[in-house]
Amino acid sequence: MADAVLGATVVEDREAAVASRRRLISRIVIYGLLGLISVVYIVPLLVVVLNSFRTNAEIGAMGLISLPQSFRLDAWPQAWSDFCIGGQCNGVARYFWNSVAMVVPATIISTALGAINGYILSKWKFPGSEIVFGCMLLGVFMPGQIALLPWAFLLGKLGLANSVYGLVLVHCIQGLSFTTLFFRNYYVSIPDDLLKAARIDGAGFWRIFWKIMIPLSPPIIIVTVIWQFTGIWNEYLFGVVLNSGSNQPITSALVALSMSGTTVRTYDVMSAAVLIGALPPLLVYFFGGKYFVRGLTQGAIK
Amino acid sequence: MASLTIRNLRKSFGVVEVLKGVDLEANTGEFIALVGPSGCGKSTLLAMIAGLETVTSGEIYIGDRLVNSVQPKDRDIAMVFQSYALYPTMSVKENMAFGMESRGVPKAEQEKTIARVAALLQIEPFLKRKPGQLSGGQRQRVAMGRALVRDPALFLFDEPLSNLDAKLRVDMRTEIKKLHQRIGKTTIYVTHDQVEAMTLASRIAVMHQGEVQQFADPDTVYNRPANTFVAGFMGSPSMNFIDAEITSTGGGAPAVNFPLSGGGVASLPLHNGVADRAQSKKVILGIRPEHLSRQSASNSGKQGFATMSALVEVVEPTGAETMAVLKFGDREVVGRFSPDEAPKTGENMPLAVDMTRACLFDPATTRLI
Amino acid sequence: MAIAGQSVSAGTSTWDRIKKWTPVFIIAPSILASFIYVFVFAGWTFYISLSDSTLLPSYGFKGFENYVSLWTNRRWSVAYNNLLFFSLFYVTLAMAFGLMLAILIDQRIRAESFWRTIFLYPLAVSFIATGTVWQWLYNPGSGIQFMVNALGWTDFQFALTTDRKNAIWAIIITGIWGSAGFSMALFLAGLRSVDPDIIKAAQIDGASWFRTYRKVILPSIGPIFIAVAVVLLQFAIKTFDLAVALTNSGPGISTTFPATYVYDFMFQRGEIGQGAAAAMMVLAALAIVLVPYSLYLVWRRRRESRNG
Ligand SMILES: Nc1ncnc2c1ncn2[C@@H]1O[C@H](COP(=O)(O)OP(=O)(O)OP(=O)(O)O)[C@@H](O)[C@H]1O
Ligand SMILES: [Mg+2]
């Protein structure tokens, strides 16, 4: 009896050992694969960051992918205010501020409109509101190419051609479909009883919106703001088509800068410029990653 | 004086008619229960009284005022929802204050009212908490508190207890009853639980498919149900229905007959001249489970009791009482017995049927005869 | 369920009447804007595609001539062949990598959000920025080839972007690099939504890790595969920024895409009519993907509601 028990524990121990070795191997495989792939993901980022602090001579001699031998900050101020893009040597500052002037109002306005639209389309339905929602949804899928000519014409007529305000308008209307969709889908899950209770309590359209819906909305507001901010900041097509010269946003400037380097490429300054252009959405991503992913998955699966 | 009067109220959603001419009235201080199966239109009716749904046709008066197109906030009503509908971002206190703020009640008065109601419902300890930090029962109290601060002419409850577990539900039911006795406000209370309706209401409106089947006090609804629907809906286990035929016995006294298994016929004498009111010979005999009992010296010869025997198929003891499924011909009939007279499975049980409490229904109209 | 739509019968004030229509008034401008954006703009571009517009829009009607010359243009055939080739490899490989990453991350690993953050950051940044950096890396004189050469393997060749035949692979690789994290996020959400009891049941049935995934988990997230494929196809059809930043349609015209074709013809070559025709083709390609998909969604929803 006692022997049998002992034998069983020995077998068990051996099985446990095999199982734990298996586990160890599978862990090594998992982390190994993840680590390997991560390298592919991190290298490009590392390359720009490190090269923005190296001298161009060193990059020329050692290549882009090598351990830095020098450290200097010169490339950054140069990229910001002296670098030559399309014949003008004022750096990317001007384009950066164009992007800021475009993205801030466009994000605020499109998010605010999306909140109100979503509120109406989920809680104050009227005859035909479902059809209206369906039509707005179509806007999500519209390719920008279709809208290029009409926008160019319309902005011309409105006197907003080649201006940042024009791009603000474009992005507000472009984004309306997305923001409305986000808010509507969020608000339909808020129980109708809550609004009924509020109506009995004497609250009307606006009071319900401000006192009940908005206090419940921070998650979706963050998701939408991040989505709109990164989307508009990174947009290239409209910026390059509708605006020209010093009125273009940063994405257009980055393309112009990498195209213009026909002779010797100044990788150090260009790295700094690319980083300046990528920094705002990257910061938003690193601080609001959870909400960014939520927006991404919600925006994809409707 | 009536504090709520509803006349021929109809409601359609598109082509679907959900309410088909409802009449109802509640006297001041009355507790009216609206019961009926799911989807019969109870919530819709309540929402129309509250002004949350439009009226397709008909009239709703609160007091003597026609309120068909009055906004909910101006109807002098308060409502408690099944989901409680507490504003999740506001504290309990802010929840209660929200309506008063909307109506511009001065701050000092708000404080006083909240203090009074909080004391009444014993929710003072969690005035500062958010609804998410409360238990189901506490939320339920807060929801009632929010209604009470209004001091309305009419209280509307939409299945306020159905989200609570069984034990808490019974406790809260008692509390609602106490509360109603204390403040004496006219109350319309929607539930699909007939026990709640019976225990709380001064009158019950039983609804089915958008119509009020019967509107009467609990005793009448239970003992003299207007039709087979009401009879079957109220009471658990439900009333047994048996297809039967009226005959005259030798002495001219009428009786109901129905076949038993093995070719026999049960013949139960009738009373109170019911037989005369029957339009046809064919009737539906309705017997509640508790009106079946084991034959004994005390009941077998008693006036109004009929005797027969039936095979016992299944026995289900619940502790306080024992249910048994009996075979009446090819029908199954449920009986409710005290444990000491409980039958055994397979027994051929001698029964005494309390015919004074039995109901007869017209098979054509399903109405009570 | 709507709570609006209070009937306004006789006796209510004008004020109530106005209040009743508040929501409609407020949303009306948005509806109008969306309507113009979706229908008027598309109609307009379609009309231009039928016109004789060249450098400036003009409204002389030309029928389908622009479409005919589009489909006989060699450059357009390069563009749509590129799109087909790109879509095939980009979509399947981005899904495969995404699924692999999702399964790896689903193994109760440590610092899960750290790994996720790494694989998803390219999505936060524009393809202009990431594409520019990748362009440098592809540059044989300074990037990957240079590094490998410097490490001692001196005849290593990696010059995709200067090679007509293989330049599209540069775009495919960077595209996958940029989007695999996205399909990972969707797959991961799907894996996490599988009922854990099913997985436990499979384990009790003695299914191996691999079989559990193949036979139990992955089949139950079938709809996610379709959703990811549709979204990635949509990205592929709209590919523009990436092609501009990486190769600028070159070398020669070898990496022209429909979307870059539109831009070139409308704004570089002053062939607005034909550019518009190409834009309509982009729209048509999206419709070919999205219309069946939405019909499928409707069908699935019906079936689900029928099955309770
Ligand atoms: N907005 C609406 N549009 C269409 N039909 C509706 C609407 N609201 C309710 N109904 C229908 O009206 C009928 C009555 O609904 P109601 O909510 O009043 O039932 P109920 O008696 O409260 O049921 P329950 O006990 O399940 O709460 C149901 O068949 C329901 O489907
Ligand atoms: Mg209900």
Side-chain angles (χ1 to χ4, degrees), chain B residues 13-14 16 18-19 36-45 53 82 158-159 190-192, chain C residues 1-2:
Chain B
F13 290 111
V16 191
V18 175
L19 293 181
S38 192
C40 69
K42 308 178 297 280
S43 296
T44 307
L45 176 56
E53 291 280 2
Q82 176 174 0
D158 191 357
E159 308 202 17
V190 165
T191 173
H192 60 248
Chain C
M1 214 174 44

Short mmCIF file of all heavy atoms in Angstrom, two decimals, chain B residues 13-14 16 18-19 36-45 53 82 158-159 190-192, chain C residues 1-2, ligand 1:
data_model
loop_
_atom_site.label_atom_id
_atom_site.label_comp_id
_atom_site.label_asym_id
_atom_site.label_seq_id
_atom_site.Cartn_x
_atom_site.Cartn_y
_atom_site.Cartn_z
N PHE B 13 -48.26 50.91 -32.50
CA PHE B 13 -46.92 51.17 -33.05
C PHE B 13 -46.99 50.76 -34.50
O PHE B 13 -46.99 49.57 -34.81
CB PHE B 13 -45.86 50.34 -32.33
CG PHE B 13 -45.61 50.76 -30.92
CD1 PHE B 13 -45.99 49.97 -29.86
CD2 PHE B 13 -44.98 51.98 -30.67
CE1 PHE B 13 -45.75 50.38 -28.56
CE2 PHE B 13 -44.73 52.37 -29.37
CZ PHE B 13 -45.12 51.58 -28.31
N GLY B 14 -47.08 51.73 -35.39
CA GLY B 14 -47.27 51.38 -36.81
C GLY B 14 -48.61 50.68 -36.95
O GLY B 14 -49.64 51.20 -36.53
N VAL B 16 -49.25 47.71 -35.60
CA VAL B 16 -49.49 46.81 -34.48
C VAL B 16 -50.26 47.55 -33.39
O VAL B 16 -49.79 48.56 -32.88
CB VAL B 16 -48.16 46.30 -33.88
CG1 VAL B 16 -48.43 45.17 -32.91
CG2 VAL B 16 -47.23 45.86 -34.99
N VAL B 18 -51.19 47.79 -29.80
CA VAL B 18 -50.67 47.23 -28.55
C VAL B 18 -51.68 47.36 -27.43
O VAL B 18 -51.81 46.49 -26.59
CB VAL B 18 -49.34 47.91 -28.19
CG1 VAL B 18 -48.84 47.43 -26.86
CG2 VAL B 18 -48.30 47.64 -29.26
N LEU B 19 -52.40 48.48 -27.40
CA LEU B 19 -53.49 48.66 -26.42
C LEU B 19 -54.78 48.84 -27.20
O LEU B 19 -54.86 49.64 -28.13
CB LEU B 19 -53.24 49.88 -25.53
CG LEU B 19 -52.06 49.80 -24.57
CD1 LEU B 19 -51.97 51.07 -23.74
CD2 LEU B 19 -52.18 48.59 -23.66
N GLY B 36 -50.19 41.04 -15.85
CA GLY B 36 -50.43 40.38 -17.14
C GLY B 36 -49.14 39.77 -17.61
O GLY B 36 -48.06 40.11 -17.11
N PRO B 37 -49.24 38.89 -18.57
CA PRO B 37 -48.02 38.23 -19.06
C PRO B 37 -47.15 39.21 -19.83
O PRO B 37 -47.58 40.31 -20.18
CB PRO B 37 -48.55 37.13 -19.98
CG PRO B 37 -49.90 37.58 -20.38
CD PRO B 37 -50.44 38.41 -19.26
N SER B 38 -45.93 38.79 -20.10
CA SER B 38 -44.98 39.65 -20.80
C SER B 38 -45.52 40.05 -22.18
O SER B 38 -46.10 39.23 -22.88
CB SER B 38 -43.66 38.89 -20.97
OG SER B 38 -42.68 39.78 -21.39
N GLY B 39 -45.36 41.33 -22.49
CA GLY B 39 -45.76 41.81 -23.81
C GLY B 39 -47.22 42.18 -23.93
O GLY B 39 -47.70 42.48 -25.00
N CYS B 40 -47.97 42.20 -22.79
CA CYS B 40 -49.39 42.48 -22.91
C CYS B 40 -49.67 43.97 -22.94
O CYS B 40 -50.79 44.40 -23.16
CB CYS B 40 -50.15 41.83 -21.75
SG CYS B 40 -49.81 42.60 -20.17
N GLY B 41 -48.66 44.80 -22.74
CA GLY B 41 -48.86 46.23 -22.86
C GLY B 41 -48.85 46.99 -21.54
O GLY B 41 -49.20 48.17 -21.50
N LYS B 42 -48.44 46.38 -20.47
CA LYS B 42 -48.43 47.05 -19.17
C LYS B 42 -47.51 48.26 -19.16
O LYS B 42 -47.91 49.36 -18.78
CB LYS B 42 -47.95 46.08 -18.07
CG LYS B 42 -48.68 44.77 -18.02
CD LYS B 42 -48.12 43.86 -16.94
CE LYS B 42 -46.68 43.45 -17.16
NZ LYS B 42 -46.46 42.37 -18.11
N SER B 43 -46.26 48.03 -19.61
CA SER B 43 -45.30 49.13 -19.59
C SER B 43 -45.74 50.24 -20.52
O SER B 43 -45.55 51.42 -20.23
CB SER B 43 -43.92 48.64 -20.01
OG SER B 43 -43.45 47.71 -19.09
N THR B 44 -46.31 49.87 -21.65
CA THR B 44 -46.78 50.87 -22.59
C THR B 44 -47.86 51.73 -21.95
O THR B 44 -47.85 52.95 -22.05
CB THR B 44 -47.32 50.18 -23.85
OG1 THR B 44 -46.32 49.30 -24.34
CG2 THR B 44 -47.68 51.19 -24.91
N LEU B 45 -48.79 51.07 -21.27
CA LEU B 45 -49.87 51.81 -20.60
C LEU B 45 -49.28 52.77 -19.56
O LEU B 45 -49.65 53.95 -19.51
CB LEU B 45 -50.83 50.82 -19.95
CG LEU B 45 -51.97 51.40 -19.12
CD1 LEU B 45 -52.80 52.38 -19.95
CD2 LEU B 45 -52.87 50.30 -18.58
N GLU B 53 -45.03 58.07 -23.79
CA GLU B 53 -45.47 57.57 -25.09
C GLU B 53 -46.68 58.40 -25.50
O GLU B 53 -47.45 58.85 -24.65
CB GLU B 53 -45.90 56.10 -25.00
CG GLU B 53 -44.77 55.12 -24.76
CD GLU B 53 -43.99 54.80 -26.03
OE1 GLU B 53 -44.31 55.38 -27.10
OE2 GLU B 53 -43.05 53.99 -25.94
N GLN B 82 -38.05 49.62 -13.58
CA GLN B 82 -37.55 48.27 -13.32
C GLN B 82 -36.03 48.26 -13.18
O GLN B 82 -35.47 47.62 -12.31
CB GLN B 82 -37.97 47.35 -14.46
CG GLN B 82 -37.43 45.96 -14.34
CD GLN B 82 -37.97 45.05 -15.41
OE1 GLN B 82 -38.75 45.47 -16.26
NE2 GLN B 82 -37.58 43.80 -15.37
N ASP B 158 -42.94 50.56 -12.39
CA ASP B 158 -42.88 49.55 -13.45
C ASP B 158 -42.00 48.39 -13.00
O ASP B 158 -40.78 48.48 -13.03
CB ASP B 158 -42.34 50.15 -14.75
CG ASP B 158 -42.53 49.21 -15.93
OD1 ASP B 158 -43.01 48.08 -15.71
OD2 ASP B 158 -42.20 49.60 -17.06
N GLU B 159 -42.62 47.33 -12.55
CA GLU B 159 -41.92 46.13 -12.07
C GLU B 159 -40.71 46.48 -11.21
O GLU B 159 -39.58 46.09 -11.52
CB GLU B 159 -41.46 45.27 -13.25
CG GLU B 159 -42.59 44.98 -14.21
CD GLU B 159 -42.33 43.75 -15.05
OE1 GLU B 159 -41.46 42.95 -14.68
OE2 GLU B 159 -43.01 43.59 -16.05
N VAL B 190 -47.08 48.24 -11.83
CA VAL B 190 -47.03 47.20 -12.86
C VAL B 190 -46.20 46.03 -12.36
O VAL B 190 -45.13 46.22 -11.80
CB VAL B 190 -46.41 47.74 -14.16
CG1 VAL B 190 -46.02 46.59 -15.09
CG2 VAL B 190 -47.36 48.68 -14.86
N THR B 191 -46.71 44.83 -12.56
CA THR B 191 -45.95 43.64 -12.18
C THR B 191 -46.42 42.47 -13.02
O THR B 191 -47.53 42.49 -13.54
CB THR B 191 -46.13 43.34 -10.68
OG1 THR B 191 -45.51 42.10 -10.39
CG2 THR B 191 -47.58 43.27 -10.29
N HIS B 192 -45.56 41.50 -13.19
CA HIS B 192 -46.09 40.28 -13.80
C HIS B 192 -46.21 39.18 -12.75
O HIS B 192 -46.52 38.04 -13.06
CB HIS B 192 -45.25 39.83 -14.99
CG HIS B 192 -43.83 39.53 -14.63
ND1 HIS B 192 -42.79 40.31 -15.07
CD2 HIS B 192 -43.29 38.58 -13.86
CE1 HIS B 192 -41.66 39.82 -14.57
NE2 HIS B 192 -41.93 38.77 -13.84
N MET C 1 -35.06 52.07 -29.01
CA MET C 1 -36.41 52.60 -28.89
C MET C 1 -36.36 54.12 -28.77
O MET C 1 -35.55 54.67 -28.06
CB MET C 1 -37.07 52.02 -27.65
CG MET C 1 -38.54 51.83 -27.86
SD MET C 1 -39.34 51.01 -26.50
CE MET C 1 -38.67 51.80 -25.08
N ALA C 2 -37.21 54.77 -29.48
CA ALA C 2 -37.20 56.22 -29.46
C ALA C 2 -38.10 56.72 -28.36
O ALA C 2 -39.12 56.12 -28.06
CB ALA C 2 -37.70 56.75 -30.79
N1 LIG D 1 -41.53 51.33 -29.49
C1 LIG D 1 -42.19 50.22 -29.85
N2 LIG D 1 -42.33 49.89 -31.15
C2 LIG D 1 -42.99 48.78 -31.52
N3 LIG D 1 -43.54 47.91 -30.66
C3 LIG D 1 -43.42 48.16 -29.35
C4 LIG D 1 -42.75 49.32 -28.87
N4 LIG D 1 -42.77 49.31 -27.52
C5 LIG D 1 -43.44 48.18 -27.18
N5 LIG D 1 -43.85 47.50 -28.27
C6 LIG D 1 -44.62 46.24 -28.27
O1 LIG D 1 -45.76 46.46 -27.51
C7 LIG D 1 -46.10 45.29 -26.79
C8 LIG D 1 -46.30 45.64 -25.33
O2 LIG D 1 -45.06 46.01 -24.77
P1 LIG D 1 -44.90 46.36 -23.24
O3 LIG D 1 -43.49 46.74 -23.02
O4 LIG D 1 -45.93 47.34 -22.86
O5 LIG D 1 -45.18 44.97 -22.57
P2 LIG D 1 -45.17 44.62 -21.03
O6 LIG D 1 -46.54 44.18 -20.70
O7 LIG D 1 -44.61 45.72 -20.23
O8 LIG D 1 -44.22 43.36 -21.01
P3 LIG D 1 -43.09 42.98 -19.92
O9 LIG D 1 -43.76 42.27 -18.81
O10 LIG D 1 -42.22 42.05 -20.70
O11 LIG D 1 -42.40 44.22 -19.50
C9 LIG D 1 -44.99 44.31 -27.03
O12 LIG D 1 -45.47 43.34 -27.94
C10 LIG D 1 -43.90 45.12 -27.62
O13 LIG D 1 -43.20 44.34 -28.56
#
